[in-house]
Amino acid sequence: MRFGKTLRESIYPPWKDEYIDYSKLKSMLREDMRDDEDVPWTEDDENRFCDEIFNVQLEKVAQFQDNMVSSLKERAETAFDKLKDMAPSEEKPKSDITTARLKELKGELDTITNEVKELKKYSSANYTGFLKIAKKHDRKRGDRYKVRPMMRVSLAERGFNSEQAYSPLLTKLSLMYYAINQNLDEGEQYQPLDLNLENQQEVHNGERYTAHKFWIHLDNLLEVKTAILRHLPALVYTQQAGKEPDGNEDPKITSLYFDNSKFQLYGRKVDRQVDASSLRLRWYGKLDSKSDIVLEQKIVHENGLSEEKKFHIKDKYIKQFIDGEYNMEKTVQKMERQGQTTEAIDSFKTTVEEIQDFIVKAKFEPVMRANYTRTAFQKPSDDRVRISIDTNIAFIREDTLDRDRPCRDPVEWHRRDIDNGNMSYPFKNINQSEVSRFPYALLEIKLKEEDGRKQPRWIEDLMVSHLVHAAPRFSKFVHGVASLFEDYVNSLPLWLSDLETDIRKDPQMAHDAEEQRKAQQAEDAMVVGSFLGGAAAAKMGSYKPATSSPVGKSYLSERAAREAREARASAPPTTVNRPGEEDVDDGSTRQRGYGTLSSVFPGFSLSRYSRAKRQREQLPKGVTKPEVWLKNAGPLQVEPKVWLANERTFLKWQHICILLGSLAISLYTAAGENFLAECMGIAYVVIAIMAGAWGYGMLRKRRDMIVERSGKDFDNMLGPLAVSAALMLALILNFVFSYRAAFAKMDSELFVNETEATFVGELV
């Protein structure tokens, strides 16, 4: 289907005048003229086309999208304010909330939601249209000027076809739907719309997982890996089964994706249609190493859950299976010989029949392969947290769409030039128009859903950090098809525009933006919780901003501080002061700097305000002040290397003491009647005694610190500086005194020589 027809069919009638005028732009390119009728393309033609596409069409579409987004946000805020007014209170009990008002508000939300969906389709259609017409220009009129790179940058700067702008709006709508549906008394339970764009649920072996996907800039890749390694070990799989740790290299994985000439699977997946599927063959390592090949079908159901069907197959049977000539009979016979249960055999037969019927009916065949290196992180025998990082991602055409020059031999199921030639990333030996390299690494976090169990805090910190860029709906299959078969498809995925931007973020700005987002979500959830009442309010309205975040001055923190002040005013004035510390007057609150020790461990702050705040802390009723720190509880367990390190430092000091003492005694003994040498010998003896005393004193002090489990620093620069200064001073004085004595001796000898010369002259 040509894109012009697709665009006409996707137009939303109320907005028909706001779409890209694709026909006009094509006529300006003289697309319908034959080559022999075509007139030369001049500078004026180029200027008129660029002015029309950038200054007229792009501005029109961008302005309309911005206005619609602002309008939808305002309407959502108005609906949210109505929901606030309906929230029960002491003056207005919950029974006063009429069903009619709730249904009316629900109707408004339905209208907003439908327009959000239409706006998403509007953005996607125009985004694809601009890229298509720019590509037509570069192909037909791009001898001197290429406008497609400029168009991609312009679309990225305006946020076209990006889901990030819709996420806050959809989250608020989802909360309002949840509150209304919980209060409507209807015969049939109405489920709120699944508007959560931040994650995707999957089902593996009957277990539910929540999958989170992110892009990682290569500059941040090492930092992300080290952050994960602090909590999860890295698993390196064998190339054969991918099940047992072996070797030192991460495995190379190849996924061979299926589709037909109409790209039916791609279109259903991009448009998020019900039961959208993807089909692939996957193996580890090189194909000639007899890898274990798995045929997988992944289905995304209407409720957002994804399900996988898969089975193992040998490479010599793949072509026959795709053509419908082989039904895995040998595998079934092997299962029967092994004595497997009838249920397992029937389940295997059902899976094979469903996948084969799915392939044969729609005439699916391999069209694209994805090759990447995977690093996996997971605790052995613990699948609650599974993390993988894919790097060196490359997408390669595997189709036979062009019968004259097919990328793959039609009688084969894979490209033998790649697999037999042992090609690897970056695949420089094939036609570069058939390969697309993904510029980032892909991070995927899968968390098992368990009742009453929260996801680890370090996972949350990683997912909202500046090191990663959220890409919740990213798909290798969709991205590979969109980048390699742009001429064959009429819709493009949401994330393509993000590839033209720098996904690296400033740490402080990313932290502040996330805190603002959490605060806004908490305020919205608090309204919904108060509307529902009971335990829901306490559950939904829990949020504590970070100490170093400016969100600490938001409505939530101010209200919490006000309630705390009122509670202290009504309670008896009791303070907890530590012995030896004097009271400090209240000071103004100081905002800790981002990344400082006090921002990570607030209790470690040494400021006067922080000490005063700790002094004024009140303990709850029934809680007594502990007499022993928690770190000091339990038996003392010190590693031997700690004691040996302390003794080793002491022995170094004694070595210095003995060396200086030997030098001092030798100097004093050889002095004879030289008073200066005697003084310097005594000075060196004193310095040697100082070094020995300091070493022994530090040995005892550090031993006590180890026993007391002190958190203070073990280093002390005072002793080494004092000994070094004294030794340097002694050496300088020794040099000065020796210098003066030498010159005095020279003057005396000169005077004696002059006297002798005078006496001899008189005799002569």
Side-chain angles (χ1 to χ4, degrees):
M1 183 183 295
R2 299 178 67 86
F3 178 74
K5 184 177 180 181
T6 303
L7 180 62
R8 289 192 298 271
E9 293 178 353
S10 62
I11 287 179
Y12 184 50
W15 304 341
K16 61 180 180 179
D17 296 331
E18 305 297 337
Y19 284 78
I20 178 178
D21 196 340
Y22 193 75
S23 300
K24 181 179 180 180
L25 293 172
K26 282 183 62 178
S27 64
M28 294 182 68
L29 289 175
R30 305 170 195 156
E31 180 73 14
D32 299 330
M33 297 181 63
R34 297 196 304 268
D35 293 339
D36 54 353
E37 298 177 354
D38 197 5
V39 296
W41 184 260
T42 64
E43 288 284 345
D44 293 337
D45 295 330
E46 182 71 24
N47 293 334
R48 280 195 299 270
F49 177 80
C50 291
D51 182 69
E52 179 68 23
I53 191 174
F54 286 104
N55 300 332
V56 178
Q57 299 295 330
L58 183 58
E59 286 296 329
K60 176 185 70 174
V61 175
Q63 187 66 32
F64 177 78
Q65 178 175 273
D66 293 341
N67 294 338
M68 284 302 301
V69 171
S70 301
S71 174
L72 291 172
K73 288 182 178 180
E74 291 177 1
R75 291 164 60 185
E77 289 294 338
T78 303
F80 197 71
D81 293 337
K82 292 181 180 179
L83 187 64
K84 286 182 181 180
D85 297 336
M86 295 182 189
S89 60
E90 296 179 358
E91 298 80 8
K92 182 177 56 177
K94 192 173 181 179
S95 58
D96 292 344
I97 305 175
T98 63
T99 304
R101 295 181 62 191
L102 288 176
K103 289 186 176 181
E104 180 184 355
L105 182 58
K106 184 180 175 183
E108 296 180 12
L109 295 182
D110 290 339
T111 304
I112 297 174
T113 303
N114 291 333
E115 291 197 9
V116 170
K117 293 180 179 179
E118 294 297 335
L119 184 61
K120 166 62 191 66
K121 295 178 182 178
Y122 169 88
S123 176
S124 178
N126 285 282
Y127 177 82
T128 306
F130 280 117
L131 290 181
K132 291 275 188 181
I133 199 65
K135 187 173 184 179
K136 285 181 180 294
H137 168 275
D138 292 353
R139 184 169 53 200
K140 191 175 181 64
R141 308 297 179 186
D143 296 336
R144 287 177 294 177
Y145 305 104
K146 303 289 186 182
V147 300
R148 183 178 170 85
M150 186 185 302
M151 177 58 68
R152 296 182 71 97
V153 173
S154 300
L155 293 174
E157 291 177 349
R158 295 177 178 273
F160 263 86
N161 211 29
S162 176
E163 209 163 17
Q164 304 294 333
Y166 299 96
S167 296
L169 176 60
L170 294 179
T171 302
K172 179 165 290 189
L173 289 174
S174 180
L175 284 171
M176 289 189 283
Y177 269 115
Y178 176 76
I180 294 174
N181 292 331
Q182 291 296 321
N183 283 271
L184 283 178
D185 186 14
E186 299 180 355
E188 181 179 357
Q189 181 65 30
Y190 183 84
Q191 296 295 333
L193 294 178
D194 183 17
L195 298 175
N196 187 7
L197 302 175
E198 300 302 324
N199 55 69
Q200 184 176 356
Q201 293 182 333
E202 299 180 358
V203 178
H204 299 282
N205 300 325
E207 300 285 350
R208 277 192 169 190
Y209 291 86
T210 303
H212 306 262
K213 296 181 181 180
F214 304 89
W215 295 348
I216 307 174
H217 196 280
L218 298 184
D219 293 348
N220 299 328
L221 181 58
L222 180 61
E223 190 171 355
V224 172
K225 286 186 176 181
T226 54
I228 298 173
L229 284 171
R230 292 187 178 96
H231 305 276
L232 294 178
L235 297 181
V236 181
Y237 299 112
T238 60
Q239 294 183 347
Q240 291 294 332
K243 296 179 180 179
E244 299 178 359
D246 184 29
N248 298 318
E249 292 186 0
D250 294 327
K252 308 297 187 294
I253 302 178
T254 302
S255 295
L256 198 62
Y257 290 96
F258 287 68
D259 212 329
N260 53 23
S261 59
K262 297 180 180 179
F263 288 94
Q264 180 180 345
L265 294 180
Y266 170 85
R268 293 176 64 88
K269 200 169 183 66
V270 170
D271 297 337
R272 299 185 189 175
Q273 298 182 17
V274 178
D275 295 338
S277 300
S278 60
L279 188 67
R280 69 176 179 179
L281 288 164
R282 177 175 56 84
W283 65 87
Y284 288 79
K286 299 178 181 178
L287 190 61
D288 59 357
S289 61
K290 304 300 180 182
S291 299
D292 191 8
I293 304 175
V294 181
L295 180 59
E296 300 176 337
Q297 181 186 10
K298 188 174 182 180
I299 307 173
V300 181
H301 297 293
E302 185 177 6
N303 57 2
L305 290 176
S306 65
E307 177 187 3
E308 282 188 358
K309 300 177 182 179
K310 60 183 179 180
F311 61 88
H312 296 265
I313 184 172
K314 294 183 178 180
D315 58 346
K316 60 182 178 180
Y317 299 128
I318 292 178
K319 181 61 177 175
Q320 302 176 34
F321 181 84
I322 295 174
D323 296 338
E325 301 172 356
Y326 176 69
N327 300 321
M328 304 296 295
E329 295 90 349
K330 294 187 178 181
T331 304
V332 173
Q333 295 173 4
K334 182 179 179 181
M335 295 175 68
E336 292 174 348
R337 290 195 303 268
Q338 293 175 348
Q340 297 192 23
T341 62
T342 306
E343 292 79 4
I345 296 176
D346 292 341
S347 176
F348 177 79
K349 288 182 178 179
T350 302
T351 301
V352 171
E353 291 175 359
E354 290 177 352
I355 294 180
Q356 189 174 51
D357 185 65
F358 180 71
I359 294 175
V360 173
K361 282 186 176 180
K363 298 181 180 179
F364 292 130
E365 60 181 16
V367 296
M368 184 268 300
R369 76 165 60 194
N371 185 275
Y372 48 92
T373 303
R374 170 160 292 182
T375 305
F377 303 88
Q378 180 183 338
K379 292 181 180 178
S381 303
D382 185 357
D383 59 351
R384 291 176 298 177
V385 180
R386 299 161 55 191
I387 299 179
S388 63
I389 297 179
D390 297 337
T391 55
N392 296 338
I393 305 174
F395 304 99
I396 305 172
R397 291 185 60 167
E398 199 94 9
D399 63 282
T400 58
L401 297 176
D402 188 351
R403 297 299 177 180
D404 297 330
R405 294 189 303 172
C407 299
R408 167 179 54 85
D409 188 348
V411 300
E412 299 288 346
W413 63 271
H414 67 104
R415 291 185 61 163
R416 290 193 172 274
D417 59 333
I418 296 178
D419 296 322
N420 295 348
N422 294 329
M423 295 185 187
S424 59
Y425 188 87
F427 300 98
K428 293 183 178 180
N429 296 331
I430 63 176
N431 189 342
Q432 293 303 295
S433 63
E434 300 175 358
V435 60
S436 173
R437 301 172 187 85
F438 191 65
Y440 305 121
L442 179 62
L443 168 67
E444 185 170 7
I445 302 174
K446 292 184 179 180
L447 305 174
K448 180 186 287 187
E449 294 186 1
E450 296 179 348
D451 295 337
R453 182 178 181 272
K454 296 182 178 179
Q455 63 186 16
R457 179 61 183 270
W458 68 271
I459 291 287
E460 295 182 1
D461 294 340
L462 176 62
M463 291 193 299
V464 301
S465 70
H466 67 285
L467 301 174
V468 297
H469 175 79
R473 298 291 180 177
F474 181 80
S475 167
K476 294 188 184 75
F477 167 60
V478 172
H479 185 85
V481 172
S483 57
L484 294 173
F485 301 93
E486 186 177 342
D487 292 337
Y488 295 87
V489 297
N490 292 326
S491 58
L492 299 175
L494 296 166
W495 55 80
L496 280 185
S497 60
D498 293 338
L499 293 177
E500 304 299 326
T501 61
D502 189 353
I503 64 173
R504 290 172 293 185
K505 310 171 188 174
D506 179 77
Q508 180 65 45
M509 294 177 62
H511 175 269
D512 295 345
E514 179 61 24
E515 288 295 316
Q516 293 285 356
R517 186 188 67 83
K518 287 182 178 180
Q520 184 61 45
Q521 283 187 352
E523 292 183 17
D524 297 342
M526 187 178 298
V527 174
V528 175
S530 63
F531 184 80
L532 298 176
K539 182 180 179 180
M540 300 187 69
S542 58
Y543 167 70
K544 183 178 180 181
T547 307
S548 62
S549 172
V551 183
K553 300 179 181 180
S554 67
Y555 160 74
L556 288 176
S557 62
E558 291 175 357
R559 192 178 72 171
R562 183 171 62 253
E563 293 176 353
R565 287 194 298 268
E566 293 174 357
R568 285 197 297 268
S570 60
T574 59
T575 58
V576 179
N577 294 330
R578 295 187 181 182
E581 291 186 359
E582 58 185 16
D583 234 343
V584 184
D585 295 337
D586 293 350
S588 58
T589 304
R590 300 178 184 175
Q591 184 177 357
R592 298 185 179 94
Y594 178 79
T596 60
L597 182 62
S598 60
S599 66
V600 181
F601 302 103
F604 277 60
S605 177
L606 303 178
S607 65
R608 297 176 65 241
Y609 169 74
S610 299
R611 292 199 301 269
K613 182 178 179 181
R614 291 197 294 267
Q615 292 171 0
R616 295 193 299 270
E617 290 177 349
Q618 299 180 3
L619 297 177
K621 294 182 180 180
V623 179
T624 59
K625 180 181 179 182
E627 298 181 357
V628 181
W629 289 99
L630 182 62
K631 66 181 181 64
N632 295 334
L636 178 64
Q637 295 180 353
V638 181
E639 295 184 9
K641 64 181 181 180
V642 178
W643 299 108
L644 296 177
N646 189 25
E647 292 179 1
R648 195 160 50 245
T649 307
F650 169 70
L651 293 177
K652 286 290 185 181
W653 278 107
Q654 299 310 306
H655 177 73
I656 295 174
C657 174
I658 294 174
L659 183 64
L660 289 177
S662 302
L663 176 64
I665 293 175
S666 301
L667 184 62
Y668 185 81
T669 303
E673 297 181 357
N674 191 337
F675 179 73
L676 176 61
E678 293 180 356
C679 292
M680 296 310 303
I682 295 174
Y684 288 135
V685 169
V686 173
I687 295 175
I689 295 174
M690 288 174 54
W694 176 264
Y696 181 76
M698 291 306 299
L699 172 70
R700 302 293 302 179
K701 181 179 179 180
R702 287 169 179 158
R703 180 183 178 281
D704 295 339
M705 291 172 66
I706 295 173
V707 173
E708 296 173 359
R709 306 177 187 179
S710 174
K712 299 179 181 179
D713 294 334
F714 280 76
D715 56 338
N716 195 323
M717 299 181 62
L718 181 60
L721 288 177
V723 173
S724 300
L727 185 61
M728 185 63 66
L729 180 62
L731 292 174
I732 293 174
L733 292 176
N734 188 11
F735 175 76
V736 172
F737 292 148
S738 300
Y739 182 80
R740 289 183 177 180
F743 269 88
K745 184 177 180 181
M746 290 176 59
D747 293 341
S748 176
E749 291 178 355
L750 181 62
F751 176 75
V752 172
N753 292 336
E754 290 179 353
T755 303
E756 291 179 354
T758 303
F759 179 73
V760 171
E762 291 178 355
L763 291 177
V764 174

